[in-house]
């Protein structure tokens, strides 16, 4: 293999994006992805309790485009938002994978899974009754090669699991009680999703932190790499969201949140939450949103 893991990690790092090398690396990134997918690995997508925002984020992938991902890199066997099939024909893909393709596909889950009762989230019907999403994720996970939780809800429960959690919503790892690669965020950056899949194809399981997140994307504190960090150090705090200065006093959660958002940025690397003046909401951390609520009040940090 021409590209070492070290070179791959450098290519996908936020540092490389910041340095402006991303345009020059586009052909190489695409070549690596196609090389990783000679056999076009099968991917099955499962929707739990979600808003579909994570799927929308993935569909905005730029390098490679979602067209290249779906037609040349992976074989997406099931995705409720983009496939043409419906009803029993669509669900036959799940059943065939469970019965005949053990260890031959990757399972991606978007959304939390309700543990209190299957009636809160179902996928399809059997004998006139809804099939609980929890049943599908359990059966599909048993035969999957790897399980990837995409988004805050699938990773840690997110908003469905916030205080007052009547449905018993939980992240996939907590629901299944087995190892899962977590790609949190509300929504996650498309690079995080595609980059993790390619890493698995090329080099196997990426190095994860204690919360199951790939370190190559979630290894650094947002506060330490924020363009307004200098303002924090000089005690220049914004009083309103339209002002210059650090947004900490207005509830920015950057000091307690990990991710490469400041370097990677969204919408083809144009902007991100702090740059737009909104402040970080901490959506890549376990326990969100409860652990950083109220969202517009500052979190305890560094003695403040």
């Amino acid at each position: 293999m021409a590209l070492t893991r070290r070179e791959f990690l450098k290519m996908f790092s936020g540092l490389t994006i910041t340095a402006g090398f991303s345009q020059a690396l586009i052909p190489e990134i695409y070549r690596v992805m196609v090389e990783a997918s000679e056999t076009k690995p099968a991917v099955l997508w499962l929707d739990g309790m979600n808003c579909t925002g994570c799927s929308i984020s993935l569909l905005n992938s730029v390098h490679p485009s979602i067209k290249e991902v779906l037609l040349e890199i992976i074989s997406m066997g099931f995705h409720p938002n983009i496939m043409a099939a419906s009803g029993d024909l669509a669900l036959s893909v799940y059943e065939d994978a469970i019965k005949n393709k053990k260890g031959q596909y990757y399972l991606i889950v978007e959304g939390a899974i309700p543990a209190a009762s299957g009636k809160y989230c179902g996928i399809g019907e059997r004998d006139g009754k809804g099939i609980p999403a929890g049943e599908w994720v359990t059966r599909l996970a048993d035969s999957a090669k790897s399980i990837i939780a995409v988004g805050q809800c699938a990773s840690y429960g997110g908003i469905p699991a916030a205080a007052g959690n009547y449905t018993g919503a939980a992240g996939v790892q907590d629901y299944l009680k087995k190892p899962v690669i977590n790609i949190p965020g509300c929504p996650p950056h498309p690079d995080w999703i595609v980059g993790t899949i390619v890493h698995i194809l090329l080099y196997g399981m990426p190095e994860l932190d204690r919360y199951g997140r790939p370190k190559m994307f979630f290894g650094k504190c947002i506060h330490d790499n924020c363009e307004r960090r200098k303002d924090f150090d000089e005690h220049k705090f914004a009083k309103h969201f339209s002002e210059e200065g650090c947004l900490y006093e207005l509830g920015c959660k950057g000091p307690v949140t990990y991710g490469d958002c400041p370097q990677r940025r969204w919408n083809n690397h144009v902007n991100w939450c702090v740059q737009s003046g909104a402040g970080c909401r901490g959506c890549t951390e376990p326990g969100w949103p409860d652990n950083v609520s109220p969202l517009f009040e500052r979190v305890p940090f560094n003695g403040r």
Side-chain angles (χ1 to χ4, degrees):
M1 186 177 298
L3 193 70
T4 66
R5 180 175 178 274
R6 184 183 180 88
E7 290 169 333
F8 173 86
L9 293 177
K10 182 179 180 181
M11 183 183 297
F12 267 85
S13 72
L15 179 62
T16 303
I17 300 296
T18 301
F21 298 149
S22 57
Q23 294 299 313
L25 285 170
I26 287 172
E28 183 65 4
I29 291 173
Y30 181 65
R31 183 192 67 76
V32 168
M33 291 184 171
V34 173
E35 176 184 314
S37 59
E38 263 186 12
T39 57
K40 293 190 70 176
V43 175
L44 300 180
W45 193 283
L46 186 148
D47 268 2
M49 305 168 76
N50 70 93
C51 66
T52 323
C54 304
S55 287
I56 298 299
S57 183
L58 175 61
L59 293 176
N60 283 308
S61 177
V62 176
H63 303 302
S65 69
I66 190 61
K67 175 185 173 184
E68 292 166 333
V69 171
L70 295 177
L71 298 182
E72 301 181 44
I73 296 175
I74 65 173
S75 175
M76 184 69 82
F78 190 107
H79 193 303
N81 304 118
I82 59 175
M83 65 185 185
S86 61
D88 291 342
L89 178 61
L91 295 181
S92 69
V93 176
Y94 277 168
E95 292 289 358
D96 180 61
I98 293 168
K99 295 174 182 173
N100 304 313
K101 297 178 180 176
K102 186 176 180 61
Q104 299 176 42
Y105 64 89
Y106 298 89
L107 175 64
I108 297 180
V109 181
E110 176 184 3
I113 306 299
S117 171
K119 67 182 180 182
Y120 297 121
C121 184
I123 303 173
E125 295 182 343
R126 182 188 300 122
D127 300 325
K129 296 182 179 179
I131 305 173
E135 177 185 323
W136 283 120
V137 76
T138 299
R139 295 176 65 205
L140 287 164
D142 284 344
S143 297
K145 191 171 186 177
S146 294
I147 309 163
I148 303 173
V150 167
Q152 164 65 224
C153 300
S155 296
Y156 310 123
I159 290 176
N165 185 3
Y166 185 77
T167 65
V172 178
Q173 185 165 302
D174 285 343
Y175 184 84
L176 294 174
K177 308 299 183 189
K178 61 172 56 178
V180 170
I181 300 173
N182 291 318
I183 307 175
C186 187
H189 195 290
D191 286 3
W192 300 344
I193 305 171
V194 176
T196 299
I197 293 173
V198 173
H199 189 285
I200 293 171
L201 299 178
L202 278 171
Y203 311 106
M205 181 75 78
E207 186 178 5
L208 306 178
D209 67 9
R210 59 179 173 157
Y211 299 122
R213 303 174 294 194
K215 284 187 175 180
M216 58 182 175
F217 300 124
F218 301 96
K220 297 178 180 177
C221 179
I222 285 177
H223 182 64
D224 293 338
N225 297 281
C226 177
E227 62 261 33
R228 301 198 189 201
R229 173 58 193 262
K230 184 173 181 291
D231 293 327
F232 178 89
D233 293 337
E234 295 176 353
H235 302 283
K236 295 178 180 177
F237 297 103
K239 302 294 186 204
H240 304 281
F241 285 110
S242 58
E243 294 180 350
E244 294 183 355
C246 177
L247 299 168
Y248 172 71
E249 297 286 353
L250 296 175
C252 179
K253 313 304 180 190
V256 295
T257 306
Y258 282 73
D260 64 7
C261 310
Q263 294 81 34
R264 193 165 301 280
R265 295 174 285 177
W266 266 254
N267 301 319
N268 198 14
H269 315 292
V270 171
N271 206 343
W272 72 293
C273 300
V274 170
Q275 186 179 345
S276 69
C280 170
R281 299 275 72 90
C283 67
T284 62
E285 292 301 308
W288 184 88
D290 290 349
N291 67 340
V292 291
S293 293
L295 289 178
F296 296 102
E297 293 184 11
R298 70 180 187 185
V299 291
F301 171 69
N302 203 24
R304 297 185 64 87

